[in-house]
Amino acid sequence: MSTFDRRHAWLKTGADDALAMSEEGFDRLKSHASALCFDTGELGTNRMWHFHPTAFIAHFRKCCWISKQELKQLIPLNVIRMARRNNYLWEPIVYRDATGSMADSIRIHLNKGMQKYLINTPLRIACFLGNAIQETQWLYQREEIGSRQIWYYPWHGRGLLQLTSPGNYFDYFSFRGLIYTTDIKNRLSAEYNRLYVNRNIRQTDNHLSDTENDIPHNIITWRSNVSSNDHDVVGSAGFYWVSAYMAYHSDAEHELERCSVNTKFRIKIYYRSPAFWRASASVNLPGRINTLYSTALNGFNDRCCVYGSAISVLTEQKFPDNNGNAIVEKPESNQLRRG
């Protein structure tokens, strides 16, 4: 601080674009600067040390721990849902995070899981939660709705990324180090594959039930835990994240594309990128991962609405305007929810 007066004396004389500062104002500024300084003792160099605001934010963002308020901000106010080809709906999202809700009970497990599976950069989190939030009906459902009517029940989707099919369940059990006999996995996987390629017999000649296959109680419990135990709800998604190489696709450059669709509520905007598409397809539609924006991936527009909010909340990346210039500060269509 010994050089403060000399270095900042120009403030009292003013400049072309600034009025001269009064003595009272100068003294207040000096007092404020002194409060921000560190006592560097004999090792000091008479420099004023302080945290630059943007450097402070950048440093603390490395934590990647999401608070309850921050998690809420990732849920868009509305979703653009494709009802059928070229027919889009603009639907409000009801977000539930009261005490005892899924969003409330899972948040700590979610943060720990993201640290464990190295979902630890803003763009990785945007890709992961862009899928998980949509697949769980905005952090409300731990498993597929109407599961007993689904042909692959009881091996239907459970968990944050909807672990589905006998093969994926048993691979997750192996990932967890759980022991089972391979004949059960092989028998169920073969039946699932038979039904998958023969749509017309899925309801009339289906042999996936637990009783028909004499499924041991421990396997039924493991499977149930994927939706009933928050540790497994998150852990099964971490398994998908690792096995589908979602991090690899999430780490690519995110070239945001501005997309407009016509709904009965007029033109609405959402954002997508090849990186987010490949991260999403890697776990949901791996056979089409290089077929950008294939409509065969269920709910991709919905996922993009979450992705746009996550990009806005978690990063400093700007959005493209209608000319493709990355200058827009926040998503259009008033999508951001307050924490």
Side-chain angles (χ1 to χ4, degrees):
M1 286 294 297
S2 60
T3 63
F4 182 89
D5 289 342
R6 174 171 52 81
R7 288 185 291 111
H8 297 282
W10 66 271
L11 291 172
K12 293 189 287 187
T13 60
D16 293 338
D17 58 349
L19 296 176
M21 182 177 287
S22 67
E23 285 291 341
E24 180 185 1
F26 188 81
D27 289 342
R28 289 174 59 193
L29 175 64
K30 184 176 180 179
S31 177
H32 177 69
S34 178
L36 293 176
C37 288
F38 293 110
D39 181 5
T40 55
E42 296 180 358
L43 300 179
T45 58
N46 290 322
R47 295 173 61 190
M48 186 173 70
W49 291 87
H50 62 89
F51 288 114
H52 192 283
T54 57
F56 180 87
I57 293 170
H59 177 74
F60 273 84
R61 269 189 171 161
K62 294 177 181 178
C63 171
C64 290
W65 186 273
I66 297 177
S67 69
K68 181 176 181 178
Q69 292 76 18
E70 290 165 334
L71 184 60
K72 184 176 182 178
Q73 291 179 66
L74 301 184
I75 316 297
L77 290 171
N78 300 277
V79 63
I80 298 171
R81 185 171 64 85
M82 186 170 68
R84 57 183 180 272
R85 192 173 184 85
N86 296 323
N87 184 1
Y88 296 91
L89 302 177
W90 177 253
E91 298 178 334
I93 294 175
V94 177
Y95 179 58
R96 304 168 180 87
D97 63 348
T99 302
S101 66
M102 176 184 178
D104 175 63
S105 65
I106 204 175
R107 187 179 63 83
I108 301 300
H109 295 278
L110 174 63
N111 277 297
K112 289 181 177 180
M114 289 195 298
Q115 295 296 312
K116 177 179 180 179
Y117 295 104
L118 298 184
I119 309 171
N120 57 355
T121 70
L123 292 175
R124 288 186 178 188
I125 295 173
C127 286
F128 178 71
L129 292 182
N131 284 279
I133 288 173
Q134 186 272 346
E135 295 206 16
T136 55
Q137 296 292 299
W138 328 118
L139 296 181
Y140 180 61
Q141 298 284 353
R142 291 175 171 83
E143 60 185 283
E144 283 186 272
I145 301 173
S147 56
R148 289 184 178 275
Q149 282 69 52
I150 299 172
W151 66 267
Y152 43 89
Y153 176 85
W155 303 95
H156 57 280
R158 293 182 173 91
L160 271 180
L161 289 182
Q162 299 287 278
L163 190 68
T164 305
S165 85
N168 284 326
Y169 272 95
F170 281 99
D171 285 345
Y172 173 59
F173 300 156
S174 296
F175 180 77
R176 287 284 313 279
L178 304 174
I179 306 300
Y180 55 85
T181 57
T182 57
D183 68 299
I184 296 178
K185 174 185 178 181
N186 295 339
R187 184 169 69 251
L188 287 166
S189 296
E191 174 63 5
Y192 176 88
N193 293 333
R194 183 181 74 92
L195 295 171
Y196 185 84
V197 298
N198 292 281
R199 182 184 297 268
N200 60 318
I201 66 170
R202 290 176 180 174
Q203 303 300 332
T204 60
D205 189 26
N206 189 312
H207 304 285
L208 284 174
S209 71
D210 291 342
T211 53
E212 236 179 309
N213 291 280
D214 195 24
I215 304 298
H217 179 72
N218 62 330
I219 291 180
I220 295 175
T221 299
W222 299 341
R223 186 185 63 202
S224 176
N225 284 344
V226 178
S227 58
S228 63
N229 180 297
D230 285 338
H231 178 78
D232 281 295
V233 170
V234 175
S236 60
F239 156 73
Y240 259 156
W241 172 267
V242 172
S243 60
Y245 301 100
M246 288 183 74
Y248 172 78
H249 302 294
S250 302
D251 288 345
E253 183 177 358
H254 286 240
E255 300 175 4
L256 297 179
E257 302 174 14
R258 179 183 184 272
C259 304
S260 62
V261 296
N262 194 0
T263 74
K264 67 178 182 179
F265 295 98
R266 303 179 183 172
I267 299 295
K268 298 298 179 181
I269 307 300
Y270 70 93
Y271 304 89
R272 66 187 183 186
S273 71
F276 181 58
W277 162 263
R278 292 190 175 97
S280 302
S282 67
V283 70
N284 293 286
L285 197 68
R288 302 280 188 90
I289 195 169
N290 291 316
T291 307
L292 284 181
Y293 313 129
S294 168
T295 56
L297 199 163
N298 181 47
F300 183 66
N301 299 322
D302 312 34
R303 300 166 200 262
C304 287
C305 293
V306 184
Y307 171 68
S309 291
I311 290 292
S312 179
V313 172
L314 300 173
T315 80
E316 301 296 335
Q317 189 162 346
K318 291 183 171 59
F319 296 87
D321 62 10
N322 58 1
N323 294 316
N325 301 311
I327 58 174
V328 180
E329 292 288 343
K330 61 182 182 179
E332 298 178 57
S333 298
N334 191 31
Q335 280 288 68
L336 290 182
R337 184 186 301 266
R338 293 186 180 275

